[in-house]
Amino acid sequence: MIFAPRTDRSQLWLALLIASIAMLLLLAAMLWQQTRPVPMHDLHLADGEKLRCVSYAPYHRPGQTPLIEDTRIEREQIAADLAALAKITDCVRLYSIDQGLEHVPELARPLGLKVLLGAWIGYEKAKNARELERAIALANANADVVRALIVGNEVLLRRERTEDEMRELIRHAKAHAQVPVTYADVWEFWTRHDSLAAEVDFVTVHILPFWEDEPVDIELALEHVADTRRHVGEHFAGKEILIGETGWPSAGRQREESKPSRVNQARYIREFVHRAHAEGWDYNLIEAIDQPWKRRLEGTVGGFWGMLDADSLQPKFPLAGTVAERESVSGPLGGAAVGGVLAFLLAATGRRTRCLRASAIAA
Protein backbone atom coordinates (compact mmCIF):
# COMPACT_ATOMS: atom_id res chain seq x y z
CA MET A 1 0.00 0.00 0.00
CA ILE A 2 1.33 3.47 -0.95
CA PHE A 3 0.72 6.42 1.39
CA ALA A 4 0.72 10.07 0.29
CA PRO A 5 3.82 11.98 1.45
CA ARG A 6 3.40 13.95 4.67
CA THR A 7 4.05 17.22 2.77
CA ASP A 8 1.08 16.50 0.48
CA ARG A 9 -1.20 15.98 3.47
CA SER A 10 0.07 19.20 5.04
CA GLN A 11 -0.70 21.14 1.87
CA LEU A 12 -4.17 19.62 1.76
CA TRP A 13 -4.98 20.66 5.30
CA LEU A 14 -3.47 24.12 4.72
CA ALA A 15 -5.72 24.56 1.69
CA LEU A 16 -8.72 23.49 3.77
CA LEU A 17 -7.74 25.96 6.49
CA ILE A 18 -7.54 28.81 3.97
CA ALA A 19 -10.92 27.83 2.50
CA SER A 20 -12.48 27.72 5.98
CA ILE A 21 -11.17 31.18 6.86
CA ALA A 22 -12.46 32.51 3.52
CA MET A 23 -15.89 31.09 4.33
CA LEU A 24 -15.82 32.75 7.76
CA LEU A 25 -15.02 36.10 6.13
CA LEU A 26 -17.85 35.60 3.64
CA LEU A 27 -20.25 34.77 6.49
CA ALA A 28 -19.14 37.90 8.34
CA ALA A 29 -19.80 40.02 5.25
CA MET A 30 -23.27 38.50 4.82
CA LEU A 31 -24.14 39.07 8.47
CA TRP A 32 -22.89 42.63 8.30
CA GLN A 33 -25.04 43.23 5.22
CA GLN A 34 -28.09 42.14 7.19
CA THR A 35 -27.58 45.01 9.63
CA ARG A 36 -28.06 47.53 6.80
CA PRO A 37 -31.13 49.68 7.58
CA VAL A 38 -33.77 49.41 4.86
CA PRO A 39 -36.03 52.44 4.35
CA MET A 40 -39.74 51.71 3.84
CA HIS A 41 -43.17 53.23 4.27
CA ASP A 42 -43.78 54.61 7.77
CA LEU A 43 -47.12 53.57 9.24
CA HIS A 44 -48.59 56.53 11.10
CA LEU A 45 -51.80 55.58 12.87
CA ALA A 46 -54.06 58.30 14.23
CA ASP A 47 -53.99 59.07 17.95
CA GLY A 48 -55.51 56.12 19.76
CA GLU A 49 -55.81 54.09 16.55
CA LYS A 50 -54.55 50.49 16.63
CA LEU A 51 -54.50 47.45 14.39
CA ARG A 52 -58.04 46.23 13.70
CA CYS A 53 -57.53 42.63 14.77
CA VAL A 54 -54.83 39.95 15.07
CA SER A 55 -55.04 36.15 15.31
CA TYR A 56 -54.21 34.93 18.80
CA ALA A 57 -53.01 31.51 19.91
CA PRO A 58 -51.31 31.08 23.32
CA TYR A 59 -48.94 28.22 22.41
CA HIS A 60 -45.72 30.21 22.24
CA ARG A 61 -43.80 28.92 25.28
CA PRO A 62 -41.47 25.90 25.06
CA GLY A 63 -43.35 22.63 24.69
CA GLN A 64 -46.79 24.19 24.26
CA THR A 65 -48.85 22.85 21.35
CA PRO A 66 -52.54 22.38 20.61
CA LEU A 67 -51.65 19.09 18.91
CA ILE A 68 -51.47 17.43 22.36
CA GLU A 69 -55.10 17.07 23.38
CA ASP A 70 -54.63 17.51 27.14
CA THR A 71 -52.64 20.75 26.75
CA ARG A 72 -53.96 23.43 29.08
CA ILE A 73 -52.81 27.05 28.97
CA GLU A 74 -53.00 28.80 32.32
CA ARG A 75 -55.32 31.75 32.73
CA GLU A 76 -52.42 33.91 33.97
CA GLN A 77 -50.45 33.37 30.76
CA ILE A 78 -53.44 34.28 28.59
CA ALA A 79 -54.00 37.42 30.67
CA ALA A 80 -50.36 38.47 30.18
CA ASP A 81 -50.56 37.79 26.45
CA LEU A 82 -53.72 39.85 26.03
CA ALA A 83 -52.25 42.71 28.04
CA ALA A 84 -49.32 42.83 25.62
CA LEU A 85 -51.63 42.64 22.60
CA ALA A 86 -53.93 45.39 23.89
CA LYS A 87 -51.06 47.82 23.27
CA ILE A 88 -51.14 47.19 19.51
CA THR A 89 -54.64 46.00 18.58
CA ASP A 90 -58.33 46.46 19.31
CA CYS A 91 -59.31 42.84 18.70
CA VAL A 92 -58.11 39.23 18.76
CA ARG A 93 -59.28 36.32 16.64
CA LEU A 94 -59.55 32.83 18.14
CA TYR A 95 -59.73 29.53 16.26
CA SER A 96 -61.00 27.37 19.11
CA ILE A 97 -62.29 27.66 22.67
CA ASP A 98 -60.45 24.63 24.06
CA GLN A 99 -57.34 24.33 26.25
CA GLY A 100 -57.93 27.50 28.25
CA LEU A 101 -59.07 29.78 25.43
CA GLU A 102 -62.57 29.95 26.92
CA HIS A 103 -61.13 32.55 29.32
CA VAL A 104 -60.30 35.01 26.54
CA PRO A 105 -63.61 36.94 26.38
CA GLU A 106 -63.72 37.71 30.11
CA LEU A 107 -60.03 38.63 30.16
CA ALA A 108 -60.40 40.78 27.04
CA ARG A 109 -63.25 42.86 28.51
CA PRO A 110 -61.28 45.02 31.00
CA LEU A 111 -58.57 45.57 28.36
CA GLY A 112 -61.06 46.97 25.86
CA LEU A 113 -60.40 44.15 23.40
CA LYS A 114 -63.06 42.69 21.14
CA VAL A 115 -63.01 39.01 20.15
CA LEU A 116 -63.68 37.13 16.92
CA LEU A 117 -64.64 33.84 18.53
CA GLY A 118 -63.83 30.69 16.58
CA ALA A 119 -65.42 27.24 16.79
CA TRP A 120 -63.02 24.60 15.45
CA ILE A 121 -64.69 22.27 12.95
CA GLY A 122 -62.89 19.14 11.76
CA TYR A 123 -63.40 15.46 10.94
CA GLU A 124 -65.20 14.37 14.11
CA LYS A 125 -68.91 15.19 13.96
CA ALA A 126 -69.62 14.64 17.65
CA LYS A 127 -66.68 16.80 18.66
CA ASN A 128 -67.77 19.49 16.19
CA ALA A 129 -71.24 19.54 17.73
CA ARG A 130 -69.85 19.92 21.27
CA GLU A 131 -67.44 22.65 20.21
CA LEU A 132 -70.12 24.61 18.39
CA GLU A 133 -72.58 24.44 21.29
CA ARG A 134 -69.92 25.64 23.73
CA ALA A 135 -68.88 28.43 21.36
CA ILE A 136 -72.48 29.61 20.94
CA ALA A 137 -72.97 29.65 24.71
CA LEU A 138 -69.69 31.51 25.26
CA ALA A 139 -70.50 34.07 22.58
CA ASN A 140 -73.97 34.68 24.00
CA ALA A 141 -72.62 35.07 27.52
CA ASN A 142 -70.13 37.66 26.28
CA ALA A 143 -72.05 39.36 23.49
CA ASP A 144 -70.67 42.75 24.54
CA VAL A 145 -67.15 41.54 23.77
CA VAL A 146 -67.61 39.01 20.95
CA ARG A 147 -67.77 40.74 17.54
CA ALA A 148 -68.76 37.56 15.72
CA LEU A 149 -68.78 33.78 15.86
CA ILE A 150 -66.63 32.11 13.18
CA VAL A 151 -67.97 28.62 12.47
CA GLY A 152 -64.93 26.74 11.18
CA ASN A 153 -61.62 27.75 9.67
CA GLU A 154 -60.55 26.49 6.20
CA VAL A 155 -62.69 23.37 6.65
CA LEU A 156 -63.45 23.16 2.92
CA LEU A 157 -59.80 23.71 2.05
CA ARG A 158 -58.85 20.76 4.26
CA ARG A 159 -61.82 18.74 2.87
CA GLU A 160 -62.92 17.79 6.37
CA ARG A 161 -66.60 18.69 5.83
CA THR A 162 -68.72 19.25 2.71
CA GLU A 163 -70.38 22.48 1.67
CA ASP A 164 -73.80 21.13 2.67
CA GLU A 165 -72.51 20.05 6.08
CA MET A 166 -71.04 23.50 6.67
CA ARG A 167 -74.34 25.05 5.63
CA GLU A 168 -76.15 23.11 8.35
CA LEU A 169 -73.62 24.06 11.01
CA ILE A 170 -73.80 27.72 10.06
CA ARG A 171 -77.60 27.67 10.07
CA HIS A 172 -77.61 26.11 13.51
CA ALA A 173 -75.27 28.82 14.79
CA LYS A 174 -77.38 31.55 13.19
CA ALA A 175 -80.51 30.20 14.85
CA HIS A 176 -79.00 30.22 18.34
CA ALA A 177 -76.20 32.83 18.48
CA GLN A 178 -76.88 36.40 19.61
CA VAL A 179 -73.86 37.70 17.65
CA PRO A 180 -73.11 37.82 13.90
CA VAL A 181 -72.04 34.50 12.34
CA THR A 182 -69.50 33.86 9.58
CA TYR A 183 -67.26 31.16 8.09
CA ALA A 184 -63.54 31.61 7.23
CA ASP A 185 -61.65 30.13 4.30
CA VAL A 186 -59.12 30.91 1.58
CA TRP A 187 -60.66 33.35 -0.89
CA GLU A 188 -60.63 30.82 -3.76
CA PHE A 189 -62.61 28.29 -1.74
CA TRP A 190 -65.14 30.93 -0.82
CA THR A 191 -65.75 31.76 -4.48
CA ARG A 192 -66.04 28.04 -5.31
CA HIS A 193 -68.64 27.56 -2.57
CA ASP A 194 -70.36 30.91 -2.84
CA SER A 195 -73.81 29.60 -1.96
CA LEU A 196 -72.66 29.75 1.68
CA ALA A 197 -72.68 33.54 1.47
CA ALA A 198 -76.45 33.49 1.86
CA GLU A 199 -76.04 31.79 5.25
CA VAL A 200 -73.54 34.16 6.90
CA ASP A 201 -73.74 37.73 8.13
CA PHE A 202 -70.47 38.58 6.38
CA VAL A 203 -67.87 36.73 4.31
CA THR A 204 -64.45 36.05 5.90
CA VAL A 205 -61.71 35.42 3.33
CA HIS A 206 -58.02 34.66 3.74
CA ILE A 207 -55.63 36.42 1.36
CA LEU A 208 -52.04 35.25 1.88
CA PRO A 209 -49.67 36.09 -0.99
CA PHE A 210 -46.98 33.84 0.52
CA TRP A 211 -49.23 30.74 0.39
CA GLU A 212 -50.79 31.29 -3.03
CA ASP A 213 -50.50 28.42 -5.55
CA GLU A 214 -48.18 30.80 -7.39
CA PRO A 215 -46.28 32.55 -4.56
CA VAL A 216 -46.08 36.33 -4.87
CA ASP A 217 -42.95 38.47 -4.57
CA ILE A 218 -43.04 41.07 -1.79
CA GLU A 219 -42.82 43.78 -4.44
CA LEU A 220 -46.18 42.66 -5.85
CA ALA A 221 -47.83 41.39 -2.67
CA LEU A 222 -49.92 44.42 -1.78
CA GLU A 223 -51.33 44.83 -5.28
CA HIS A 224 -52.15 41.13 -5.30
CA VAL A 225 -54.13 41.58 -2.09
CA ALA A 226 -55.88 44.69 -3.45
CA ASP A 227 -56.84 42.91 -6.70
CA THR A 228 -58.10 39.88 -4.78
CA ARG A 229 -60.07 42.01 -2.33
CA ARG A 230 -61.66 43.84 -5.26
CA HIS A 231 -62.53 40.54 -6.97
CA VAL A 232 -64.08 39.10 -3.80
CA GLY A 233 -66.02 42.31 -3.19
CA GLU A 234 -67.50 42.15 -6.68
CA HIS A 235 -68.21 38.41 -6.43
CA PHE A 236 -70.09 38.86 -3.16
CA ALA A 237 -71.64 42.22 -3.96
CA GLY A 238 -73.87 43.39 -1.13
CA LYS A 239 -72.03 41.35 1.53
CA GLU A 240 -69.57 42.78 4.00
CA ILE A 241 -66.08 41.33 3.60
CA LEU A 242 -63.57 40.62 6.35
CA ILE A 243 -60.02 39.78 5.34
CA GLY A 244 -59.76 37.13 8.03
CA GLU A 245 -56.06 36.35 7.55
CA THR A 246 -53.25 38.20 5.88
CA GLY A 247 -49.59 38.61 6.81
CA TRP A 248 -46.01 37.69 6.02
CA PRO A 249 -43.45 35.46 7.81
CA SER A 250 -40.23 36.92 9.22
CA ALA A 251 -38.06 33.80 8.78
CA GLY A 252 -38.04 30.34 7.25
CA ARG A 253 -37.62 28.68 3.90
CA GLN A 254 -38.22 30.77 0.79
CA ARG A 255 -41.23 29.67 -1.28
CA GLU A 256 -40.37 30.43 -4.90
CA GLU A 257 -40.85 34.21 -5.27
CA SER A 258 -42.01 34.69 -1.68
CA LYS A 259 -39.07 35.32 0.67
CA PRO A 260 -39.56 35.28 4.44
CA SER A 261 -37.59 37.97 6.28
CA ARG A 262 -37.95 40.49 9.07
CA VAL A 263 -37.64 43.34 6.58
CA ASN A 264 -40.30 41.87 4.28
CA GLN A 265 -42.65 41.23 7.19
CA ALA A 266 -42.31 44.81 8.41
CA ARG A 267 -42.82 46.15 4.90
CA TYR A 268 -45.90 44.02 4.27
CA ILE A 269 -47.61 44.86 7.56
CA ARG A 270 -46.92 48.58 7.25
CA GLU A 271 -48.05 48.85 3.64
CA PHE A 272 -51.07 46.58 4.07
CA VAL A 273 -52.38 48.34 7.17
CA HIS A 274 -51.93 51.76 5.55
CA ARG A 275 -53.85 50.60 2.46
CA ALA A 276 -56.54 48.84 4.50
CA HIS A 277 -57.25 51.91 6.61
CA ALA A 278 -57.26 54.15 3.53
CA GLU A 279 -59.62 51.82 1.62
CA GLY A 280 -61.84 51.01 4.61
CA TRP A 281 -61.07 47.27 4.54
CA ASP A 282 -61.94 45.28 7.63
CA TYR A 283 -59.06 42.91 8.41
CA ASN A 284 -57.35 40.54 10.79
CA LEU A 285 -53.59 39.99 10.69
CA ILE A 286 -51.98 36.60 11.18
CA GLU A 287 -50.70 36.56 13.70
CA ALA A 288 -50.16 38.01 17.15
CA ILE A 289 -47.28 35.94 18.57
CA ASP A 290 -44.81 33.56 16.91
CA GLN A 291 -45.97 29.92 17.22
CA PRO A 292 -42.97 27.52 17.34
CA TRP A 293 -45.24 24.44 17.26
CA LYS A 294 -46.42 25.29 13.73
CA ARG A 295 -43.01 24.34 12.34
CA ARG A 296 -44.17 20.73 12.60
CA LEU A 297 -47.05 21.45 10.22
CA GLU A 298 -45.69 24.12 7.89
CA GLY A 299 -41.91 23.77 8.11
CA THR A 300 -39.64 26.41 9.63
CA VAL A 301 -41.67 29.27 8.22
CA GLY A 302 -44.72 28.23 10.24
CA GLY A 303 -43.19 29.45 13.47
CA PHE A 304 -42.51 33.04 12.35
CA TRP A 305 -45.77 34.74 11.36
CA GLY A 306 -46.15 36.62 14.64
CA MET A 307 -45.81 40.35 15.17
CA LEU A 308 -44.52 39.73 18.69
CA ASP A 309 -41.55 37.59 19.65
CA ALA A 310 -42.51 34.29 21.30
CA ASP A 311 -40.12 34.71 24.25
CA SER A 312 -40.26 38.41 25.07
CA LEU A 313 -43.69 39.41 23.67
CA GLN A 314 -41.93 42.47 22.27
CA PRO A 315 -42.69 43.75 18.73
CA LYS A 316 -40.36 42.23 16.14
CA PHE A 317 -40.17 45.52 14.22
CA PRO A 318 -41.28 49.15 14.62
CA LEU A 319 -44.13 50.67 12.60
CA ALA A 320 -41.99 53.63 11.54
CA GLY A 321 -38.36 54.19 10.60
CA THR A 322 -35.87 51.91 8.92
CA VAL A 323 -35.76 48.18 9.57
CA ALA A 324 -32.72 45.87 9.38
CA GLU A 325 -32.78 42.09 9.11
CA ARG A 326 -30.55 41.94 12.20
CA GLU A 327 -30.19 44.49 14.97
CA SER A 328 -26.78 43.12 15.91
CA VAL A 329 -24.20 40.64 14.65
CA SER A 330 -22.09 40.59 17.80
CA GLY A 331 -23.06 37.01 18.67
CA PRO A 332 -22.34 35.21 15.39
CA LEU A 333 -19.39 37.47 14.52
CA GLY A 334 -17.88 36.92 17.95
CA GLY A 335 -18.07 33.17 17.53
CA ALA A 336 -16.60 33.39 14.05
CA ALA A 337 -13.77 35.61 15.28
CA VAL A 338 -12.86 33.21 18.08
CA GLY A 339 -12.80 30.32 15.61
CA GLY A 340 -10.67 32.30 13.16
CA VAL A 341 -8.14 33.39 15.77
CA LEU A 342 -7.85 29.87 17.15
CA ALA A 343 -7.32 28.49 13.67
CA PHE A 344 -4.63 31.09 12.91
CA LEU A 345 -2.75 30.46 16.15
CA LEU A 346 -2.79 26.72 15.69
CA ALA A 347 -1.59 27.06 12.10
CA ALA A 348 1.13 29.55 13.03
CA THR A 349 2.56 27.48 15.88
CA GLY A 350 1.94 23.94 14.63
CA ARG A 351 4.77 22.08 12.94
CA ARG A 352 2.99 18.90 12.14
CA THR A 353 0.11 17.89 9.93
CA ARG A 354 -2.16 17.24 12.92
CA CYS A 355 -1.87 20.93 13.92
CA LEU A 356 -3.00 22.08 10.48
CA ARG A 357 -5.78 19.53 10.56
CA ALA A 358 -6.96 20.81 13.96
CA SER A 359 -6.75 24.38 12.67
CA ALA A 360 -8.88 23.62 9.63
CA ILE A 361 -11.49 21.84 11.74
CA ALA A 362 -11.58 24.68 14.29
CA ALA A 363 -12.14 27.23 11.54
Side-chain angles (χ1 to χ4, degrees):
M1 183 177 293
I2 300 176
F3 293 93
R6 182 177 297 274
T7 54
D8 290 346
R9 294 203 300 272
S10 298
Q11 290 174 357
L12 176 63
W13 285 107
L14 179 60
L16 181 58
L17 171 62
I18 293 172
S20 298
I21 293 175
M23 289 297 295
L24 287 174
L25 293 174
L26 178 61
L27 174 62
M30 292 173 60
L31 290 171
W32 192 262
Q33 177 68 14
Q34 291 180 355
T35 65
R36 181 179 62 88
V38 178
M40 61 182 70
H41 174 82
D42 289 342
L43 179 60
H44 295 296
L45 299 176
D47 289 342
E49 188 178 25
K50 299 178 183 179
L51 303 175
R52 292 280 172 80
C53 202
V54 295
S55 293
Y56 170 64
Y59 314 99
H60 56 88
R61 294 185 180 178
Q64 292 180 338
T65 171
L67 303 179
I68 299 176
E69 192 168 347
D70 61 356
T71 293
R72 184 79 183 172
I73 306 301
E74 295 298 326
R75 177 189 173 94
E76 291 74 20
Q77 178 187 330
I78 294 175
D81 290 350
L82 294 180
L85 292 175
K87 298 175 182 178
I88 65 170
T89 186
D90 289 320
C91 162
V92 292
R93 176 186 171 183
L94 307 182
Y95 293 81
S96 172
I97 55 167
D98 282 338
Q99 302 176 326
L101 285 166
E102 68 273 12
H103 295 304
V104 169
E106 62 174 304
L107 293 172
R109 183 178 288 108
L111 296 170
L113 287 170
K114 296 297 184 180
V115 179
L116 291 172
L117 192 70
W120 185 260
I121 304 298
Y123 280 117
E124 302 177 45
K125 288 187 177 182
K127 188 174 182 180
N128 291 341
R130 291 194 300 271
E131 171 90 355
L132 185 56
E133 291 303 326
R134 290 178 60 230
I136 291 170
L138 187 62
N140 290 345
N142 296 276
D144 61 317
V145 173
V146 176
R147 278 180 53 187
L149 172 60
I150 303 177
V151 181
N153 179 71
E154 297 184 352
V155 184
L156 297 173
L157 173 66
R158 298 192 308 273
R159 294 177 172 82
E160 292 181 349
R161 297 264 70 88
T162 66
E163 181 177 337
D164 287 340
E165 288 173 318
M166 289 308 304
R167 191 186 328 278
E168 290 305 311
L169 291 170
I170 293 167
R171 285 178 176 175
H172 179 80
K174 282 276 289 179
H176 296 87
Q178 299 169 16
V179 299
V181 173
T182 186
Y183 165 68
D185 214 322
V186 175
W187 67 271
E188 290 176 296
F189 276 76
W190 249 115
T191 56
R192 292 179 196 173
H193 302 275
D194 53 10
S195 71
L196 290 178
E199 311 296 339
V200 298
D201 291 297
F202 58 92
V203 173
T204 300
V205 296
H206 298 171
I207 309 176
L208 295 156
F210 184 89
W211 285 126
E212 290 285 14
D213 291 340
E214 296 183 7
V216 182
D217 188 283
I218 188 65
E219 296 289 339
L220 306 173
L222 186 58
E223 285 310 309
H224 170 79
V225 172
D227 290 343
T228 303
R229 173 61 178 79
R230 187 179 308 112
H231 167 69
V232 171
E234 293 171 353
H235 191 93
F236 296 105
K239 278 286 183 181
E240 292 183 19
I241 305 295
L242 167 66
I243 299 177
E245 283 185 2
T246 196
W248 199 273
S250 62
R253 184 176 181 180
Q254 183 168 342
R255 189 168 181 265
E256 296 182 25
E257 300 301 318
S258 295
K259 181 181 179 181
S261 75
R262 181 171 181 261
V263 168
N264 284 350
Q265 184 183 53
R267 175 180 175 180
Y268 182 84
I269 296 299
R270 289 186 187 186
E271 293 182 0
F272 171 82
V273 172
H274 174 75
R275 182 74 171 264
H277 287 209
E279 299 279 355
W281 298 338
D282 197 6
Y283 67 86
N284 171 74
L285 297 172
I286 186 165
E287 60 193 322
I289 307 169
D290 277 346
Q291 299 290 299
W293 66 273
K294 284 189 177 180
R295 300 174 196 173
R296 177 177 171 182
L297 301 179
E298 302 174 7
T300 307
V301 72
F304 295 101
W305 286 78
M307 298 186 63
L308 304 186
D309 178 75
D311 296 324
S312 66
L313 296 186
Q314 293 300 307
K316 289 157 66 176
F317 55 86
L319 295 180
T322 59
V323 178
E325 197 60 36
R326 288 177 178 269
E327 294 296 332
S328 171
V329 295
S330 57
L333 279 185
V338 170
V341 169
L342 178 61
F344 176 79
L345 291 176
L346 287 171
T349 59
R351 295 183 178 180
R352 297 184 178 180
T353 300
R354 64 174 179 270
C355 293
L356 286 172
R357 180 168 57 192
S359 301
I361 293 173

